[in-house]
Amino acid sequence: MALHIEKVTEKNRADILALSVAASQEGFIETTAQCLREAEEDARFIPVGLYVDEVVVGFAMYGQFGDEQAEAYVWLDRLLIDAQYQGKGYGQAFLQMLVEYLQERYATDVIYLSVYPNNTHAIRLYERFGFMFNGEVDPNGELLMVKDVR
């Protein structure tokens, strides 16, 4: 079984749009259609498909924000595993891959993400990977978490 990450293109766009989370998770993350629209409006967002062999099982979006390198923030902005593939360890595996990828791509020391306070499953996952709350809340009411990757 080979896990890999591919940028969203016209070739895989329909497969990405078909992804969805479990009904109980719908309030925790935007749909892939909303994410792709956001990425079209702001080129700093990079949407990717998460693959097991040749099957897309999830989606993520990341980017670097800020005007100057010293004040640039690297964000793992979205991460979802399709409902039918949850519970198989893919979230953990892809989170590890994404953290390593972002650290290498951006040569960053810190990775940011945000999570709703009632998304306890995601919070536990992020905490297991070393993300910690920094005390900040974004305009949508999501709590900011950071991971020092030094």
Side-chain angles (χ1 to χ4, degrees):
M1 164 171 70
L3 279 62
H4 61 281
I5 300 169
E6 292 184 20
K7 286 189 179 179
V8 176
T9 65
E10 286 307 312
K11 180 181 173 189
N12 63 0
R13 185 178 183 87
D15 291 335
I16 298 297
L17 290 170
L19 297 170
S20 63
V21 295
S24 63
Q25 301 167 327
E26 288 177 356
F28 296 143
I29 190 166
E30 294 80 356
T31 66
T32 54
Q34 291 168 313
C35 294
L36 293 181
R37 276 194 302 276
E38 194 171 352
E40 288 170 1
E41 294 168 3
D42 187 338
R44 295 176 297 177
F45 287 113
I46 301 170
V48 294
L50 309 176
Y51 285 80
V52 175
D53 297 323
E54 299 307 313
V55 177
V56 63
V57 301
F59 172 82
M61 195 160 76
Y62 61 85
Q64 184 173 0
F65 301 87
D67 294 330
E68 297 185 26
Q69 186 63 29
E71 294 185 22
Y73 297 93
V74 175
W75 280 82
L76 175 53
D77 200 62
R78 308 280 160 60
L79 173 61
L80 72 85
I81 301 298
D82 186 82
Q84 69 178 324
Y85 298 106
Q86 291 180 8
K88 300 177 187 291
Y90 296 141
Q92 294 177 51
F94 282 113
L95 180 56
Q96 182 67 43
M97 288 177 72
L98 287 160
V99 165
E100 292 170 2
Y101 178 79
L102 293 175
Q103 183 182 11
E104 182 179 306
R105 176 183 171 107
Y106 294 108
T108 187
D109 292 334
V110 179
I111 297 172
Y112 292 80
L113 58 79
S114 62
V115 62
Y116 285 105
N118 56 341
N119 192 351
T120 56
H121 184 75
I123 290 170
R124 284 193 306 271
L125 172 65
Y126 297 142
E127 287 177 333
R128 281 196 310 270
F129 277 82
F131 284 89
M132 298 176 11
F133 292 107
N134 71 353
E136 296 180 43
V137 179
D138 78 6
N140 297 322
E142 293 183 68
L143 306 175
L144 272 59
M145 297 183 83
V146 297
K147 177 176 175 60
D148 188 331
V149 292
R150 285 178 263 199

